Structure formats: C-alpha cells, structure tokens
Amino acid sequence: MLRIAVQKSGRLSDDSLALIRECGISFISSSLKLKTESTNFPLEILFLRDDDIPGYVADGVADIGIVGQNVLVEEGKQDLSVEELGFSKCRLSLAVPKSAEYNSVKDLEGKNIATSYPNLLQTYLQEQGVTAHIHTISGSVEIAPSIGLADAICDIVSSGSTLISNGLKEVERVFKSQAVLIANQNLSEEKKAILEKLLFRIHAVQRAQRAKYILLNAPNEKVDEIISLLPGAKSPSVLPLAQEGWSSIHSVVNEDDFWEMIERLRDAGAQGILVVPIEKMIL
Ligand code: PRT
Ligand code: ZN
C-alpha cells in the first residue's frame, strides 16, 4: 500500500484528484474524510493542507504527495521532487504600487517587502545583490502596500488580476512554479514498485494530454507531401479509400504545433480533417 498526500481543499485539489482518477484509480472522496483508500489500486489518499505535505512526505507519514514547487522549494525540500505534473502553473513575482517609479530590482534596496515566501525571496534578492527588509505574513499579502505595511510585495500570480485590483504592478518574476509529485527518499521495495506502476500510468496520461489523433483524406499524389508536414509522426498509417486515387492518413500530433499545421495540411490538399482526443498513450 502506498500513501499519497494531496491538498484537502484548494487550488491543487481538483487537478490532483483528477490525475489519480485518470490513472484508472477509483476511490470515494468526501470533503469530511481525512483519508480514503482506492478500491482497485494499492493507494491510500490523505487529505492535508498543502504546506504540510512536503514535511509529511519527508518524514514518511505519507510516501508520496502532490504540492506546488513554490511550497516545496520554500521549505527547502526540492530533493523530494520526482515529476513535474504540468498543472497549477503560476509564478512568484515582485509587485509595487502602480504609481511607484520602478526601473530595476535595485530600486528595492533597503525597502520593506511583504511575502509568504521569505526563503525564495531572500535567495532571489541575494542573487540580484539587493538587501531589503523581508516581512513574512501568511495571507492577504496584496493589501500590505495600501495599509502602509510594505513598499512592495512578493506573491503568487497567475492571471494577474489580483495585483491589478489592488493597484499593484508586477515588476519581477522571482520563481516559476507548477504542481509536482514528490516522494519519500527511503521507500521500501514494495512501495517503490507501486510508485513505478503509478508513474507509468501518469506518463501515459501526460503524453495523451499533449497529443491528438489526426485523420485526414488526401489525393494519392499528395500523400508524401502531407506526411512530411506531420511532425513527430515516425510512420503514419496510410489506408486506401473506397474512392479511387484517394488515401486516408492517420497520425498522432502534438497539440502545441496544431493550428499552424492544420493550415499547412489544408494548403497541401488535405480534406475531411478529424482531430480526436487520446485518452491514454503507451509507448
Ligand atoms: O489551505 P491550504 O494551505 O492547503 O491552501 P493555500 O491557501 O495555502 O493554497 P492555495 O489552494 O491557494 O494554492 C495552492 C497552490 O496552488 C499554490 O501553492 C500554488 O502552487 C498554486 N497556485 C496556482 C496558486 C495560484 N495559482 C494563485 N493564483 N496559489 C495561489 N494563488 C493566489 C495568489 O496567492 C493570489 O492571492 O491567487 C492570487 C493571484 O491570482 P491571480 O489569478 O489573480 O493572479
Ligand atoms: Zn497553504
């Protein structure tokens, strides 16, 4: 049995549980329960505050966990990280009042900066050769300048709308973050084997999320040109259509290159292009 710690309620919770479910692991979750056990995989899920997850995994109370890199690195536990999960992307940024004059990070010399991430901020300021007074506060960091508590803040940003609505402007990006899977470093052989199985499934889910299955029709004389436009397709399938002189081409493409490629395919004579999501992808 492997124990995973996930955030009980917050920005990481839904995506963490969705990932576990996409791995084909079933469980019943209730907001009242502190833990639950999967009915079809040797996994027990503990629901915790995100800040407690790195410590519990380091101590072996949980074997693995899902947490933001911002929390992990702030707590100095980055060695536990095993896999970037690609969700809950955000950044830790410095922000100052909109009206403040700001040219470079040197302008923060000697200033008061409020943050919930003193260690990440201190590391950044040191790298930049700036000395400032760091005030550690645990919440509502964005109101610190307007109540006269600080000249600047260092806080998590995703859309940027919280900064704007508090009259602040983002001036430096201190740290980029996303959710990561972490693991205790002394897992038993049995637990390691379960983790391997889980990672195999996570990789299949991640690959599938980035990939699309594409089907299209093309006149036979255009097939070679179209195949050359399909990036990453080592060997697309080419099947004859009932209509004489036409083929159907099937391949897997990466979502990132997708729209541009569709235009080039159409220009090259592709017709009836279908793009379908892939549920799992095993290499
Ligand atoms: O209760 P618990 O301690 O478990 O949760 P929490 O309140 O400490 O954390 P939570 O749920 O807010 O965030 C969990 C993790 O999600 C963080 O550690 C980050 O890794 C990640 N994450 C992603 C974010 C955001 N996006 C985010 N936007 N964490 C916080 N925010 C906050 C930010 O602090 C600011 O107040 O959202 C506001 C900014 O958002 P925008 O969109 O207005 O820029
Ligand atoms: Zn927290």
Side-chain angles (χ1 to χ4, degrees), residues 218-223 240-247:
N220 287 346
E221 65 274 14
K222 296 283 189 181
V223 166
L241 285 182
Q243 188 183 349
E244 188 79 20
W246 280 75
S247 296

Side-chain angles (χ1 to χ4, degrees), residues 50-276:
D50 69 341
D51 318 71
D52 296 335
I53 292 176
Y56 278 148
V57 170
D59 296 346
V61 176
D63 301 308
I64 62 173
I66 296 177
V67 71
Q69 282 166 323
N70 49 314
V71 169
L72 191 67
V73 179
E74 178 64 25
E75 295 186 16
K77 299 211 164 59
Q78 50 271 39
D79 291 355
L80 303 177
S81 179
V82 281
E83 186 78 33
E84 294 186 341
L85 296 173
F87 60 83
S88 291
K89 286 190 175 164
C90 58
R91 54 194 187 272
L92 183 69
S93 288
L94 278 160
V96 298
K98 212 169 47 198
S99 54
E101 198 188 319
Y102 185 92
N103 299 305
S104 82
V105 68
K106 305 272 180 237
D107 294 348
L108 296 174
E109 182 71 34
K111 295 280 165 67
N112 294 314
I113 310 176
T115 188
S116 306
Y117 296 90
N119 296 326
L120 281 167
L121 176 58
Q122 180 58 35
T123 307
Y124 174 81
L125 291 176
Q126 227 157 1
E127 279 166 13
Q128 301 295 323
V130 170
T131 309
H133 307 288
I134 298 177
H135 295 267
T136 306
I137 53 179
S138 59
S140 306
V141 174
E142 63 281 352
I143 63 163
S146 65
I147 58 170
L149 190 69
D151 306 298
I153 66 160
C154 180
D155 198 13
I156 300 288
V157 180
S158 62
S159 69
S161 61
T162 303
L163 292 184
I164 292 171
S165 61
N166 284 282
L168 299 169
K169 60 182 177 190
E170 185 176 2
V171 290
E172 306 290 344
R173 297 185 175 191
V174 170
F175 185 79
K176 252 176 70 179
S177 179
Q178 60 176 288
V180 278
L181 186 77
I182 58 174
N184 177 274
Q185 289 175 321
N186 301 304
L187 292 181
S188 67
E189 288 307 313
E190 183 209 338
K191 289 183 173 185
K192 273 190 198 153
I194 304 170
L195 176 58
E196 281 308 310
K197 264 192 185 177
L198 179 65
L199 279 172
F200 179 82
R201 295 188 187 190
I202 289 175
H203 293 152
V205 169
Q206 286 181 328
R207 256 184 243 115
Q209 279 167 350
R210 288 195 298 269
K212 297 277 178 245
Y213 195 77
I214 181 167
L215 306 92
L216 56 88
N217 297 334
N220 287 346
E221 65 274 14
K222 296 283 189 181
V223 166
D224 286 345
E225 184 185 347
I226 287 177
I227 288 176
S228 73
L229 292 173
L230 293 169
K234 278 195 206 96
S235 178
S237 313
V238 182
L239 312 165
L241 285 182
Q243 188 183 349
E244 188 79 20
W246 280 75
S247 296
S248 170
I249 302 172
H250 299 196
S251 187
V252 173
V253 297
N254 194 315
E255 194 164 33
D256 300 339
D257 329 301
F258 180 68
W259 285 109
E260 255 185 58
M261 190 183 60
I262 294 292
E263 277 164 31
R264 277 183 269 135
L265 289 171
R266 285 181 56 193
D267 292 346
Q271 293 183 9
I273 303 173
L274 285 183
V275 179
V276 234

